[in-house]
Amino acid sequence: MKIGISISSSYPPDKAAQGAQWMIERAREARQAELDSLFLGDHHVTPTPYYQNIPMLGRLLAEWNDRPAGVLLLLPLWNPVLAAEQLATLACLSKGRLIMQCALGAGRGQFQGMGAKEKFRTSTFEESLAIIKNLWEGQTVTSDVRWNITEARISPLPPAQIEVWIGASADKALDRAARLGDVWLADPGSILEDLLLKLGVYQEALERHGKEMPATLALRRDIYVAESASDAAQVRAAALKSNYRGIAPEALLIGEVDTVTERLLELQDAGFTDVIIRNLHPDQTKALQSINRLAEVRQRVLAS
């Protein structure tokens, strides 16, 4: 199993400038820990600082290596021509594979703030993805379903294929991931039993669309690798008290190196090849220490 990181882009209002530096520090720590991939999320019109992923990844690539990197795009919120151009530019900067994770997105305020219509998000997603893929192939694109685009082309083109990972949880979304994506990206809130059920739905969808199971099967997990049992207990209690992101406690990876390794091996046995972790501890020092301990977790998983 490969272990990557999605670096948090959200920080407290009183740390607006410092938060960007913390993201750079986390990317450096992830490289030193020899993690396998680097990602950034996507969110807009936020009431507290949220660093936008395209310019930030451009900066973080200077700290990274030749392993995969990428961003999540909530496609209905993005002009597809702009998205295609921005990612093609990132692909020219990246020393390794560039990956576009994508999803529908949600939240009335976010859609209204971006001038998008949430009720059309599914059709907009599919049209946007088709436009982006065609532009990356060097085609001239005209489209008039949800976007009014006439004879668009982009340059530069990506120097190598940009992979498309589609986040999905519901049955219809899993079908869409099988039909349109290179890889299914499982959500961070599903416990193992639910993941196995969703994997079955995804496999059936692949068969319906005449496609084989991809070599990569990815999921996200919120994590804290603790220095001791008491450290883990304190963080677990705080997560329970705050109802951390509304995620089921069983889906959170909190524990010492042995515990986290064991949980990751369970996911590997279920068929998942890549886990993208997100630090759940808000403290910068604790987050860096957790990333550092992931190096040992990664080595143990590789040796299993």
Side-chain angles (χ1 to χ4, degrees):
M1 171 176 275
K2 297 177 181 178
I3 301 174
I5 186 170
S6 178
I7 295 178
S8 175
S9 300
S10 179
Y11 294 89
D14 61 337
K15 306 293 184 184
Q18 193 172 18
Q21 296 304 311
W22 285 349
M23 293 180 71
I24 295 170
E25 291 176 8
R26 295 187 188 194
R28 288 173 182 160
E29 194 68 33
R31 177 175 179 169
Q32 291 172 7
E34 297 188 322
L35 299 189
D36 295 291
S37 55
L38 171 72
F39 293 95
L40 295 177
D42 193 28
H43 204 52
H44 302 274
V45 293
T46 59
T48 56
Y50 190 98
Y51 300 95
Q52 291 302 301
N53 54 20
I54 298 294
M56 185 56 72
L57 184 61
R59 173 62 182 87
L60 296 188
L61 286 173
E63 310 295 334
W64 196 232
N65 46 36
D66 61 356
R67 294 182 176 179
V71 293
L72 169 69
L73 294 188
L74 304 177
L75 282 189
L77 302 178
W78 284 79
N79 178 291
V81 179
L82 177 62
E85 289 178 329
Q86 298 276 28
L87 285 166
T89 297
L90 283 177
C92 293
L93 290 172
S94 181
K95 298 176 183 177
R97 290 159 40 216
L98 188 73
I99 296 167
M100 179 179 75
Q101 299 176 345
C102 52
L104 292 179
R108 182 180 179 184
Q110 182 173 219
F111 272 77
Q112 288 183 334
M114 295 297 288
K117 294 183 178 180
E118 190 173 11
K119 69 177 181 178
F120 297 138
R121 62 182 185 153
T122 300
S123 57
T124 303
F125 176 96
E126 295 203 12
E127 183 186 11
S128 293
L129 184 55
I131 291 169
I132 290 169
K133 287 181 175 181
N134 289 336
L135 289 170
W136 285 341
E137 292 175 357
Q139 297 182 29
T140 299
V141 175
T142 295
S143 189
D144 61 359
V145 180
R146 299 298 175 201
W147 298 101
N148 187 15
I149 293 170
T150 303
E151 296 188 354
R153 291 180 64 89
I154 67 166
S155 185
L157 297 176
Q161 179 185 358
I162 297 175
E163 294 179 31
V164 176
W165 294 12
I166 297 182
S169 183
D171 287 2
K172 288 183 178 180
L174 289 164
D175 183 85
R176 184 166 51 250
R179 177 166 49 91
L180 300 176
D182 299 314
V183 173
W184 167 43
L185 177 62
D187 68 277
S190 294
I191 61 175
L192 182 58
E193 292 79 5
D194 290 338
L195 285 171
L196 292 174
L197 292 173
K198 293 174 183 180
L199 177 55
V201 173
Y202 179 63
Q203 290 174 316
E204 291 175 1
L206 287 170
E207 292 174 2
R208 277 198 307 275
H209 297 296
K211 300 173 71 173
E212 296 182 355
M213 178 66 73
T216 300
L217 194 59
L219 80 161
R220 294 177 293 167
R221 275 293 184 261
D222 288 67
I223 193 170
Y224 177 66
V225 186
E227 62 179 340
S228 65
S230 60
D231 183 29
Q234 290 177 358
V235 173
R236 189 177 299 108
L240 287 170
K241 185 177 181 180
S242 66
N243 187 30
Y244 176 83
R245 291 181 177 266
I247 294 175
E250 300 88 344
L252 300 174
L253 292 183
I254 302 173
E256 296 174 89
V257 168
D258 287 346
T259 300
V260 173
T261 300
E262 181 180 347
R263 295 279 302 281
L264 289 178
L265 289 175
E266 289 176 353
L267 293 168
Q268 179 176 267
D269 290 342
F272 289 92
T273 64
D274 290 64
V275 60
I276 312 302
I277 68 96
R278 177 172 55 192
N279 283 108
L280 63 80
H281 205 299
D283 179 79
Q284 178 69 352
T285 299
K286 290 284 191 180
L288 293 174
Q289 291 171 347
S290 180
I291 295 170
N292 179 266
R293 294 184 194 107
L294 268 174
E296 184 175 355
V297 172
R298 179 178 176 274
Q299 290 302 318
R300 293 192 185 190
V301 170
L302 287 173
S304 64

